[in-house]
Amino acid sequence: MMDFFRATEALMRMDDEAWARHANPWSGYTRFASAVPLFFAIYSAHWMSWWALFPVSAVLVWTYLNPRVFSPPMTTQSWMTRGVLGERVFLNRKAVPIPAEHERMANLTTVCAVLFAVVAVYGFWVGEFWTAFAGFFGAVLAKTWFVDRMVWLWEHMKTQHPVYAAWNRADWTAKL
C-alpha cells in the first residue's frame, strides 16, 4: 500500500536527478514563494470564473518543473537543502528505519497542513478571502514546520547509511 508521502512523490514524478536538483536551495525557496501566486490564482476564480484555470495551470506547471530547472547544490549546508535531503530520508524510512519521533512529527505536521488546507478550500469555495487566506497561510506554515523537522531528521540520519553520507558530501551520483 502506497502512503500519502510516496503518492505525492509519484505524482510529481520525482526521480534521483529531480531530487538532487530540488535540493538546490533556490528550488525549495522559489517553490515556497510560488504559494502566493497559487493562492491568488485560485482565488481569482471569483472574478475570472473558468478563466482562472490559466493562472492556476501556470503555477501548477511551475510547481512540477521547479525541481528540474536548478542544478544540484554544491554543498549541503543550506537549511532548505538539508530539509529536502531529510524528506528523501523520510521517504526511504521503510528501507532504512528512522527514529519514531521523526515519523510522528512528520505525520503531525502533515495533518496540520491538511486541516489548514480544508479551511482554505472552504474559504475558496464560499468566497471568504480571509478564511481562504488563513487556511492557506496555515498550510504553508505547517509545510515549513515539516521541512524544519526534515532538517532535524537529516542531521540525525546523515551518517547512518552510506548513501546518505554520500549525499552529505554532495555526491549526487549515489542512489538508493
Side-chain angles (χ1 to χ4, degrees):
M1 179 177 166
M2 183 179 285
D3 67 19
F4 171 78
F5 300 101
R6 280 284 180 199
T8 57
E9 179 188 35
L11 178 68
M12 289 296 297
R13 298 180 179 262
M14 296 294 285
D15 58 14
D16 290 330
E17 184 178 351
W19 275 111
R21 291 170 173 271
H22 187 41
N24 185 316
W26 281 100
S27 174
Y29 289 124
T30 57
R31 198 146 175 209
F32 263 106
S34 64
V36 173
L38 180 60
F39 174 82
F40 285 107
I42 294 169
Y43 201 80
S44 73
H46 292 286
W47 64 85
M48 293 177 64
S49 187
W50 289 104
W51 291 101
L53 288 176
F54 289 106
V56 169
S57 296
V59 176
L60 293 178
V61 166
W62 166 247
T63 301
Y64 176 80
L65 292 176
N66 176 286
R68 293 158 179 82
V69 299
F70 297 94
S71 62
M74 300 300 290
T75 176
T76 60
Q77 297 308 304
S78 166
W79 177 85
M80 185 60 75
T81 298
R82 291 179 290 145
V84 170
L85 293 172
E87 190 172 2
R88 286 204 75 189
V89 168
F90 178 75
L91 288 168
N92 193 46
R93 67 194 180 282
K94 301 278 193 268
V96 180
I98 64 172
E101 66 267 15
H102 291 293
E103 188 161 6
R104 277 193 305 274
M105 288 306 296
N107 290 329
L108 173 65
T109 58
T110 301
V111 166
C112 288
V114 168
L115 292 174
F116 277 115
V118 168
V119 172
V121 167
Y122 171 78
F124 286 131
W125 185 261
V126 299
E128 291 180 4
F129 178 86
W130 291 111
T131 301
F133 180 79
F136 200 85
F137 185 71
V140 170
L141 284 178
K143 177 61 176 179
T144 305
W145 186 19
F146 174 85
V147 173
D148 188 59
R149 293 306 303 207
M150 293 299 101
V151 171
W152 288 31
L153 174 60
W154 172 249
E155 291 301 325
H156 185 96
M157 297 294 292
K158 68 185 178 184
T159 60
Q160 302 299 311
H161 191 278
V163 171
Y164 303 162
W167 292 344
N168 195 44
R169 293 186 307 272
D171 179 1
W172 303 110
T173 61
K175 297 180 181 178
L176 285 173

